Amino acid sequence: MTHSTLRIRSLVLHVAALVFSFAPTRAPAQAEAATPATSAARTSAAQVQQAFVEIARTVRPGVVTLRAFARAAIAPAVEAAAHAEAAARAPAKPSGWQAEPETEDYPGFKFYAAGSGFLVDAGGEVLTCLHALEQPGGGLPDLVDVETYDGTRMIAEIVGTEPTVNLALVQCTVFPSGRQPADAPGASRMKALRFGDSDAMESGQWVLGFGDPSGPDKYMGTGTFIARPTRDCYQDQLSAFFLQVALTVPREAYGGPIVNLDGEVIGVLAPRHATPGGGNEPRTGIEYAMPSKIVQGLYQSIRQVRSFQSPWLGFSVMSRAELAAARGIDAFNALEKPRHGILIENVYSPSPAAGAGIQPGDFLTGLDDTSIFAPVDFQKALYLAGVGKRVRLRLCRGTTQFEQELVIQRRPAEATPR
């Protein structure tokens, strides 16, 4: 941990303690005695404020705007669908940011939606929420551009997506002065952010959220961490997959990062219920984010296989830690289980797993040549194999070990997680 980080943490803890040192309202005769304590508290508060400024200076250059365009020939249909959905939602109040008017940046294309994202690679890879780019009637945009912190705009392509968790990976491809490697002169605008450990967060810790909607507006909010996800698997209970923070985030900031006091990304801001084109959700003061632990694995898998589908075998899983928490440590210790592996919690029917006779309570210990120790191992192996691939699962039921071959399918629409 750097000296700067230690100083920031020390200041934040110090100002929290000094909050309790403010004296109650006193009589005029006591006012002079109260001045030194009040001055010290204000000084410490100013130091913590400066710490937040330093974090923002570190993070903001890595936050970007993404804009989605439809071809002019189909734009009227997209626009009509957007108006119909907006009327159906009928939000009580707009967020305050309005869509940027149509420009001549890309003749033959019409702007229809925008969102936030952040750089994960100095070569121009960006993570964002898929829903912010989708056409209101469904489907991916015909053109995407990315605007960096310094105002530079680049045409980009969508490398891959994970529709179930609302994640998209975008690669900047057309630079203003040609394709630039990360170490080329002038490439400093591509500042990649670092991932942190979402599992290391505890309730009450500070978090900072960032976004960069289309236009001159920016978003930064400070809040507190509420809770880690209760499930690492999103196949069944999607709502249990998100981490929770105390923030109020405008919808145009979805896709932006949540960072800890080290400036590390511990989550991706996302709506609990996504609407194509970035539809509104009621603001409650509690926001959700995809945890960095899962996002990192999905990001690496998506960039390698360039997948646009959710691979699916028809079951959800639990880690050993989740299983122990759900059943109690004594029941967990007494459970017949293999030396490693994760529990198959639920099995959908119909599905490849149900057809093969896989049951809730079985343990998954391997997929092809990959040994499974945690849900993220399973998720990564599933993506790297890809839809249509026949895979060999290694399983354990009680004391019996066995194998099953299944073909990975695209997750069907009716298998929507809760």
Side-chain angles (χ1 to χ4, degrees):
M1 187 176 292
T2 65
H3 176 71
S4 175
T5 297
L6 289 172
R7 182 166 65 86
I8 291 172
R9 289 185 177 277
S10 175
L11 289 171
V12 171
L13 292 173
H14 185 49
V15 77
L18 282 173
V19 167
F20 297 98
S21 71
F22 280 98
T25 303
R26 303 185 182 195
Q30 296 174 302
E32 185 174 351
T35 300
T38 302
S39 176
R42 287 178 176 172
T43 298
S44 294
Q47 290 173 330
V48 173
Q49 176 178 268
Q50 183 58 32
F52 288 149
V53 169
E54 291 176 11
I55 296 171
R57 286 174 180 166
T58 299
V59 174
R60 289 272 301 273
V63 181
V64 301
T65 304
L66 295 102
R67 301 191 306 162
F69 297 80
R71 292 189 182 278
I74 64 170
V78 171
E79 192 171 12
H83 287 320
E85 288 196 8
R89 287 192 301 268
K93 292 182 180 180
S95 67
W97 282 320
Q98 300 298 319
E100 195 171 82
E102 182 179 2
T103 68
E104 295 301 320
D105 291 339
Y106 307 108
F109 293 86
K110 185 171 182 179
F111 167 80
Y112 67 84
S116 299
F118 61 99
L119 288 155
V120 288
D121 180 85
E125 290 182 339
V126 175
L127 281 177
T128 186
C129 283
L130 172 61
H131 82 282
L133 301 178
E134 287 183 309
Q135 296 186 22
L140 296 177
D142 296 308
L143 185 147
V144 176
D145 81 354
V146 171
E147 181 179 356
T148 58
Y149 181 68
D150 66 356
T152 301
R153 281 185 172 171
M154 296 153 284
I155 295 177
E157 67 169 327
I158 300 179
V159 172
T161 66
E162 208 317 315
T164 301
V165 300
N166 188 23
L167 185 68
L169 174 62
V170 174
Q171 170 69 60
C172 298
T173 57
V174 180
F175 291 74
S177 55
R179 184 77 167 96
Q180 294 178 328
D183 58 352
S188 59
R189 68 173 71 91
M190 311 300 281
K191 176 178 172 54
L193 301 185
R194 306 186 315 272
F195 281 108
D197 184 1
S198 52
D199 273 358
M201 298 297 294
E202 296 184 16
S203 182
Q205 289 184 323
W206 286 103
V207 293
L208 291 83
F210 292 85
D212 191 357
S214 183
D217 302 287
K218 310 289 182 185
Y219 168 75
M220 173 186 166
T222 58
T224 53
F225 190 85
I226 298 175
R228 294 190 292 266
T230 58
R231 290 286 190 276
D232 287 343
C233 179
Y234 47 82
Q235 295 287 351
D236 185 13
Q237 299 185 55
L238 184 59
S239 59
F241 152 79
F242 291 106
L243 58 82
Q244 299 175 45
V245 293
L247 280 172
T248 300
V249 176
R251 66 183 179 90
E252 295 87 347
Y254 287 141
I258 293 178
V259 305
N260 58 21
L261 292 183
D262 296 329
E264 298 169 333
V265 178
I266 53 95
V268 181
L269 287 166
R272 188 174 180 183
H273 303 290
T275 302
N280 284 308
E281 277 196 320
R283 306 270 63 85
T284 63
I286 298 177
E287 290 291 345
Y288 296 84
M290 293 177 265
S292 62
K293 179 176 73 172
I294 305 301
V295 168
Q296 286 183 85
L298 291 176
Y299 154 60
Q300 294 293 344
S301 301
I302 291 172
R303 76 191 295 265
Q304 184 169 341
V305 301
R306 300 177 72 91
S307 170
F308 289 83
Q309 302 172 335
S310 294
W312 190 71
L313 289 174
F315 59 80
S316 61
V317 298
M318 289 180 71
S319 69
R320 294 188 170 220
E322 292 166 350
L323 179 58
R327 298 190 182 181
I329 191 64
D330 292 337
F332 172 77
N333 289 334
L335 182 67
E336 193 74 52
K337 54 188 178 295
R339 294 177 65 87
H340 68 87
I342 55 179
L343 180 79
I344 294 178
E345 182 182 15
N346 289 313
V347 176
Y348 283 85
S349 183
S351 72
I358 295 173
Q359 300 174 9
D362 292 345
F363 274 83
L364 174 65
T365 61
L367 190 155
D368 286 342
D369 296 328
T370 301
S371 294
I372 305 298
F373 294 90
V376 68
D377 298 328
F378 168 57
Q379 292 155 358
K380 189 171 183 178
L382 198 62
Y383 272 88
L384 292 179
V387 174
K389 174 73 179 298
R390 180 178 292 275
V391 294
R392 175 174 47 87
L393 302 186
R394 300 194 297 277
L395 301 136
C396 184
R397 182 177 299 162
T399 58
T400 303
Q401 298 184 20
F402 62 102
E403 295 184 354
Q404 285 285 1
E405 286 194 353
L406 287 77
V407 176
I408 299 174
Q409 295 182 1
R410 179 178 182 176
R411 186 186 187 104
E414 59 271 19
T416 303
R418 292 176 283 168

